[in-house]
Amino acid sequence: MTAAQPLQLSADEARRIALRAQGLLGAPDRAGGVRGMLRRLGSVQLDTISVLARSHELLPYARLGAVGRAAVEEAYWSGGRSFEYWSHAACVLPIEEWPLFAFRRRAYRARESWHHELPPGAYEKVIAQLRAEGPLTATELGGAKNGGPWWDWSDTKIAVERALMFGDVVCVERRGWKRVYDLAERAVPGELRHDDLPDAECVRRLVAQAGAAMGVATLADLADYHRLRIAEVAAVIADTGLVPVVVAGWGPHHEAWADPAALATAPRGRHRTTLLSPFDSLVWDRPRTERMFRFTHRLEAYVPKPKRVYGYFAMPLLAGGRLLGRVDPAREGDTLVARHAAFEGSEARARKAVPAMAEALAEAARWVGCGRVTVERVTPTELHAPLAAALAEV
């Protein structure tokens, strides 16, 4: 008896499955709200850049609409329902995932060399101060820097970050973008506060979670979601519950796996029209974004200004389940400024995307409290006037 052949998916089917899994196709889960979104995604990346808003605020906006920014922060940080740790990058994670990162905490504890040396007693001093005084920032613990460049951390900062990596300390919120640290013994519920899971089981569960969050993915995609090694993913993939599929156009070197729940029903419903953070989990993996959407995107914030193609914080435009362009936004008083609105493809294709760009810009402006939208530059240039006209009508 031969094994069943993997299910065949078209590229469009795979794309729609991914959009639904990411909460960008179908009715928004307003009942679950921001916390439901976090549990669904499993990981929301944090970043210092704030143009319209910070990235962790932009993710619920893209999926749920105009969620109040204060409500977003409350949903992430109140009630001990989440923590910050190293996943895809520095991320907000559901507290239920604390046991799954035991393998990473063990790896940090076994590490023999560090960029920053830790003076004797510094670690114990930080732990004692947190135990005595409760949650504190690095500044409140005694200062984060020695006075040199940004990487010139104080002994206190080195110690508390080491404790964060080891799992003795938890980042329980961001206050003025500063981490607020507390002891894991207080911040993590007792039934979750353990490192009992073997490394392979941690990886298996994280791969299964990533598969559910992406719907359909390659081994490399699955590895990238929580920054695992491909070999680690390959070793556990057969036990995750994910099923092999073949996606047309992805090529023979892109073995794919899908969440059975995502395959159970055809993805249908309303597509979001929205601007995405460059750190959104739909697009944070650049090779996956190119494969799935035929869309090349790079963050240019750290590129010298004269060499930028699209702008400092170009945000992809999602509409109709496709990435139709991008816009580099800025705020000047009560005006949202589109420094550069760039459309994909030919002028004829781009012209069809003008209403979606206008809608996305207008909605983003209302969300952040801007009463006007102005456009400085458009690619192709012939669409500057049509975009301005469309904005006047929304």
Side-chain angles (χ1 to χ4, degrees), residues 70-139:
V72 171
E73 295 297 331
E74 192 274 340
Y76 282 138
W77 301 122
S78 70
R81 293 181 175 88
S82 63
F83 68 106
E84 179 185 335
Y85 199 61
W86 298 103
S87 167
H88 182 81
C91 292
V92 186
L93 304 163
I95 195 66
E96 293 81 6
E97 291 183 13
W98 175 268
L100 309 189
F101 286 87
F103 81 106
R104 192 155 283 166
R105 293 190 288 270
R106 282 192 287 266
Y108 282 133
R109 292 186 203 117
R111 187 168 165 179
E112 295 182 354
S113 63
W114 297 84
H115 177 70
H116 294 101
E117 292 297 324
L118 191 58
Y123 193 98
E124 293 76 12
K125 180 181 177 182
V126 161
I127 298 297
Q129 189 174 351
L130 287 172
R131 180 167 287 116
E133 300 180 30
L136 298 169
T137 66
T139 300

Side-chain angles (χ1 to χ4, degrees), residues 260 264 272 290:
R272 303 288 188 278
E290 292 179 14

Side-chain angles (χ1 to χ4, degrees), residues 339-350:
R339 300 280 190 214
H340 184 193
F343 295 93
E344 290 285 288
S346 66
E347 181 183 339
R349 177 188 171 190

Side-chain angles (χ1 to χ4, degrees), residues 360-375:
L361 284 167
E363 289 189 357
R366 289 192 291 269
W367 178 53
V368 297
C370 290
R372 299 175 62 242
V373 180
T374 61
V375 181

Side-chain angles (χ1 to χ4, degrees), residues 200 203-204 207 218-224 228-240 242 255 257:
V203 172
R204 186 192 71 79
V207 172
T218 66
L219 290 178
D221 298 342
L222 293 165
D224 185 72
L228 306 169
R229 294 192 299 271
I230 293 179
E232 291 177 311
V233 176
V236 302
I237 191 69
D239 299 319
T240 59
L242 303 176
E255 184 181 11
W257 298 79

Side-chain angles (χ1 to χ4, degrees), residues 351 354-355 358-359 373 375 378 383-394:
R351 192 173 293 275
V354 166
E359 178 186 342
V373 180
V375 181
V378 177
L383 297 184
H384 193 289
L387 179 56
L391 282 164
E393 295 176 0
V394 294

Side-chain angles (χ1 to χ4, degrees), residues 38-394:
L38 178 60
R39 288 192 298 270
R40 178 178 193 154
L41 299 181
S43 182
V44 170
Q45 186 172 344
L46 295 156
D47 193 78
T48 58
I49 298 174
S50 179
V51 179
L52 292 182
R54 294 198 190 276
S55 187
H56 68 286
E57 299 169 314
L58 291 167
L59 264 81
Y61 165 71
R63 288 155 177 79
L64 303 173
V67 183
R69 295 171 69 181
V72 171
E73 295 297 331
E74 192 274 340
Y76 282 138
W77 301 122
S78 70
R81 293 181 175 88
S82 63
F83 68 106
E84 179 185 335
Y85 199 61
W86 298 103
S87 167
H88 182 81
C91 292
V92 186
L93 304 163
I95 195 66
E96 293 81 6
E97 291 183 13
W98 175 268
L100 309 189
F101 286 87
F103 81 106
R104 192 155 283 166
R105 293 190 288 270
R106 282 192 287 266
Y108 282 133
R109 292 186 203 117
R111 187 168 165 179
E112 295 182 354
S113 63
W114 297 84
H115 177 70
H116 294 101
E117 292 297 324
L118 191 58
Y123 193 98
E124 293 76 12
K125 180 181 177 182
V126 161
I127 298 297
Q129 189 174 351
L130 287 172
R131 180 167 287 116
E133 300 180 30
L136 298 169
T137 66
T139 300
E140 292 166 339
L141 280 164
K145 296 182 180 180
N146 285 326
W150 67 268
W151 62 86
D152 187 22
W153 284 359
S154 68
D155 292 346
T156 296
K157 176 68 171 176
I158 295 169
V160 76
E161 286 292 322
R162 195 75 51 84
L164 178 74
M165 292 176 174
F166 290 176
D168 291 329
V169 160
V170 181
C171 175
V172 293
E173 67 172 301
R174 290 276 185 144
R175 187 188 305 153
W177 201 241
K178 294 180 179 179
R179 283 177 173 151
V180 179
Y181 307 92
D182 197 6
L183 297 180
E185 64 195 50
R186 281 197 296 251
V188 181
E191 67 273 17
L192 298 174
R193 194 177 64 250
H194 63 79
D195 282 0
D196 297 345
L197 297 180
D199 287 7
E201 179 62 9
C202 292
V203 172
R204 186 192 71 79
R205 295 193 192 186
L206 285 173
V207 172
Q209 185 280 316
M214 286 188 282
V216 58
T218 66
L219 290 178
D221 298 342
L222 293 165
D224 185 72
Y225 205 82
H226 291 294
R227 295 290 164 87
L228 306 169
R229 294 192 299 271
I230 293 179
E232 291 177 311
V233 176
V236 302
I237 191 69
D239 299 319
T240 59
L242 303 176
V243 297
V245 295
V246 174
V247 181
W250 282 19
H253 301 298
H254 291 104
E255 184 181 11
W257 298 79
D259 175 24
L263 300 175
T265 58
R268 296 188 180 91
R270 184 178 66 85
H271 284 285
R272 303 288 188 278
T273 295
T274 189
L275 299 177
L276 298 173
S277 164
F279 304 110
D280 193 296
S281 48
L282 182 72
V283 296
W284 66 16
D285 184 344
R286 308 313 188 207
R288 174 177 169 85
T289 302
E290 292 179 14
R291 183 187 338 115
M292 187 162 288
F293 293 98
R294 301 293 186 262
F295 185 88
T296 301
H297 186 65
R298 300 289 184 271
L299 178 67
E300 296 181 329
Y302 306 107
V303 175
K305 188 174 181 179
K307 295 184 178 181
R308 291 174 191 157
V309 177
Y310 296 110
Y312 175 79
F313 194 72
M315 300 177 66
L317 168 66
L318 176 69
R322 299 184 183 278
L323 300 177
L324 303 181
R326 68 208 90 200
V327 62
D328 183 37
R331 293 179 65 181
E332 295 181 357
D334 68 346
T335 300
L336 188 156
V337 181
R339 300 280 190 214
H340 184 193
F343 295 93
E344 290 285 288
S346 66
E347 181 183 339
R349 177 188 171 190
R351 192 173 293 275
K352 294 178 181 178
V354 166
M357 179 72 81
E359 178 186 342
L361 284 167
E363 289 189 357
R366 289 192 291 269
W367 178 53
V368 297
C370 290
R372 299 175 62 242
V373 180
T374 61
V375 181
E376 291 185 347
R377 177 184 167 205
V378 177
T379 301
T381 56
E382 293 82 0
L383 297 184
H384 193 289
L387 179 56
L391 282 164
E393 295 176 0
V394 294

